[in-house]
Amino acid sequence: MIDSIIKVFTSLKLTVICLGLAMVLVFMGTLAQVDLGIHAAQQKYFQTFFVYWTPANSAWRIPVFPGGHLIGGVLLFNLIAAHIYRFQLKWKKSGIILLHLGVFLLLVGGLLTELLSVESQMRIHEGATQNYSESLDAIELIIVDTSAPDLDEVVSIPDRFLARNQVIQHPRLPFRVNVVNFFPNSTLTRRKDGDTPSIVTQGFGKSLSVAEAPRATKVNESDIPTAVVELVGVEGSLGTWLCSTALGARQVFRYQDKSYALQLRQKRYYKPYSIKLLHFAHDQYDGTDIPKNFSSRIRLINSEKKEDREVLIYMNNPLRYEGETYYQAGFEKGDHTTILQVVHNPSWITPYLACSLVGLGLVIQFSMHLFSFGRRKRA
């Protein structure tokens, strides 16, 4: 019985089956990006153990196909088990060992990248200085205590808590946050005479109506998350606010002789250094509107390391600094605002090392066969 199980998990047939399922999964996930978008398709097909199907007008989630985590996990286990079961430390096997070690690192590197990497964007106007980047999809509800003249105390509530529509009590807040409703994507319109009374009693949202919208799927589209929250103090309700990334500005109020501000925004990642945009260039081919080059000349300021220097970021020439990589990703109309893609990936070197091992293993293995064939030919 045990021998049969070992043979199954160490067999080459299991490897071929996993590779075949992975090819089908990649094909399905690629087609799904048309309707779901890149991020939603990744979550549904690759960042899960099963691909689920939900019947119409039902909350059931029926697994219909293995997901990326399951296929990758079984393939990784198959590779490790096969080496443990059949491992032979011989020079003749060195090419195979290096090749499989490279594949192992490639699988582990993919998992680490998914778990540890963070992508964000930094939008900077010419002449402006910024020390944070913003997430592409994650948002946060911030409540800022602005009472101190020289310091703002910020409490951040991530979107995963907002989506639960529950009451949130933070130890640094003298009131509770009751999430009445949360919309991952929404449309905001002006209220008209005759509309049903709004539950929003404070802030900008009193004159707006909100409706849930399908998630954005196209590359040039983005969601407009909106949350309706009620703040409840010791004496009772302080009012209900409509917070949305479309509003932009903070909504202010007072409680217990302190000033507070409320805002829903993209999640921010603050840096121990700052970047100032000196100039953004959008070069075009003469006589056409075809882009030739995008570049951002920035000033990198790190007071802790006493570093102050200029850097030119352009296509295929990113800035690598403090474990992060800054790519020239785009710009806004008017050519005065640059968009830098910020990638934090601690395991960035793993794919390079894995591919090098695979290449070296193939060279050694084929060279051994070539020399062996040559010796037999001469004999």
Side-chain angles (χ1 to χ4, degrees):
M1 181 66 178
I2 297 178
D3 291 340
S4 300
I5 295 175
I6 292 176
K7 288 181 179 179
V8 169
F9 282 102
T10 60
S11 66
L12 183 60
K13 292 181 180 179
L14 181 61
T15 306
V16 175
I17 291 173
C18 287
L19 292 177
L21 291 175
M23 293 175 62
V24 175
L25 185 69
V26 170
F27 180 75
M28 294 168 54
T30 303
L31 293 181
Q33 291 181 16
V34 178
D35 298 322
L36 301 178
I38 296 177
H39 297 292
Q42 286 179 341
Q43 293 178 355
K44 181 176 181 179
Y45 289 90
F46 306 112
Q47 299 174 356
T48 181
F49 284 94
F50 290 99
V51 179
Y52 295 94
W53 170 66
T54 301
N57 301 322
S58 173
W60 290 6
R61 299 175 71 239
I62 304 173
V64 294
F65 200 83
H69 284 176
L70 181 59
I71 295 175
V74 173
L75 190 61
L76 185 62
F77 182 80
N78 171 246
L79 181 63
I80 297 174
H83 266 279
I84 293 176
Y85 187 66
R86 301 189 181 94
F87 180 75
Q88 293 179 346
L89 187 59
K90 296 181 179 179
W91 169 248
K92 292 183 178 181
K93 299 289 185 180
S94 58
I96 298 295
I97 293 174
L98 287 175
L99 194 153
H100 284 86
L101 181 59
V103 175
F104 171 78
L105 284 179
L106 199 61
L107 293 171
V108 173
L111 178 62
L112 292 177
T113 297
E114 180 187 330
L115 297 176
L116 303 178
S117 66
V118 177
E119 292 192 22
S120 56
Q121 284 186 346
M122 183 177 286
R123 297 172 183 264
I124 318 176
H125 304 287
E126 282 188 347
T129 303
Q130 194 164 301
N131 67 336
Y132 64 86
S133 60
E134 295 182 321
S135 173
L136 301 176
D137 51 1
I139 62 171
E140 60 183 358
L141 177 69
I142 62 165
I143 302 175
V144 188
D145 184 352
T146 60
S147 302
D150 55 348
L151 179 66
D152 288 345
E153 184 175 354
V154 181
V155 173
S156 171
I157 302 175
D159 51 2
R160 66 178 183 273
F161 294 104
L162 300 176
R164 298 173 185 173
N165 292 342
Q166 62 182 15
V167 178
I168 301 170
Q169 177 65 72
H170 196 279
R172 292 186 179 180
L173 295 177
F175 46 80
R176 301 188 304 275
V177 180
N178 178 23
V179 183
V180 179
N181 213 337
F182 176 72
F183 305 94
N185 191 22
S186 62
T187 55
L188 300 179
T189 56
R190 289 284 182 182
R191 294 186 60 83
K192 300 179 182 179
D193 295 337
D195 289 348
T196 56
S198 175
I199 62 173
V200 179
T201 60
Q202 301 289 337
F204 309 141
K206 291 189 294 183
S207 60
L208 299 174
S209 295
V210 58
E212 188 171 8
R215 299 298 297 270
T217 58
K218 297 181 180 180
V219 177
N220 58 347
E221 294 180 348
S222 58
D223 291 329
I224 302 177
T226 300
V228 179
V229 297
E230 180 187 16
L231 305 182
V232 183
V234 179
E235 304 84 0
S237 177
L238 308 180
T240 303
W241 277 262
L242 185 146
C243 303
S244 176
T245 56
L247 297 179
R250 296 179 177 181
Q251 303 181 72
V252 297
F253 63 96
R254 292 188 63 84
Y255 180 67
Q256 293 183 351
D257 296 330
K258 287 188 176 183
S259 301
Y260 293 92
L262 188 69
Q263 185 183 13
L264 189 70
R265 69 184 186 188
Q266 301 298 127
K267 183 178 179 181
R268 291 184 179 181
Y269 303 98
Y270 285 91
K271 320 296 180 185
Y273 52 90
S274 59
I275 292 178
K276 180 179 181 179
L277 179 61
L278 301 177
H279 178 67
F280 173 75
H282 175 195
D283 302 326
Q284 298 174 334
Y285 288 99
D286 294 338
T288 69
D289 294 331
I290 301 175
K292 180 181 180 181
N293 180 50
F294 307 108
S295 63
S296 300
R297 180 168 294 279
I298 66 167
R299 181 181 176 189
L300 181 63
I301 306 169
N302 191 334
S303 56
E304 293 182 357
K305 295 186 176 181
K306 298 181 179 179
E307 189 173 3
D308 189 342
R309 59 188 173 96
E310 291 188 11
V311 180
L312 181 64
I313 302 174
Y314 55 92
M315 304 297 291
N316 300 322
N317 187 64
L319 165 66
R320 290 183 171 87
Y321 187 74
E322 294 288 328
E324 295 185 326
T325 306
Y326 289 78
Y327 298 92
Q328 181 64 59
F331 61 97
E332 292 185 355
K333 292 181 179 180
D335 293 353
H336 294 293
T337 302
T338 187
I339 302 176
L340 301 178
Q341 188 86 359
V342 186
V343 179
H344 175 73
N345 183 12
S347 61
W348 66 272
I349 198 173
T350 307
Y352 298 98
L353 181 60
C355 292
S356 300
L357 289 175
V358 170
L360 180 60
L362 289 174
V363 169
I364 293 175
Q365 192 66 23
F366 285 125
S367 298
M368 287 182 176
H369 285 282
L370 180 61
F371 294 148
S372 178
F373 175 78
R375 287 193 299 267
R376 289 198 303 269
K377 186 76 172 177
R378 287 192 300 270

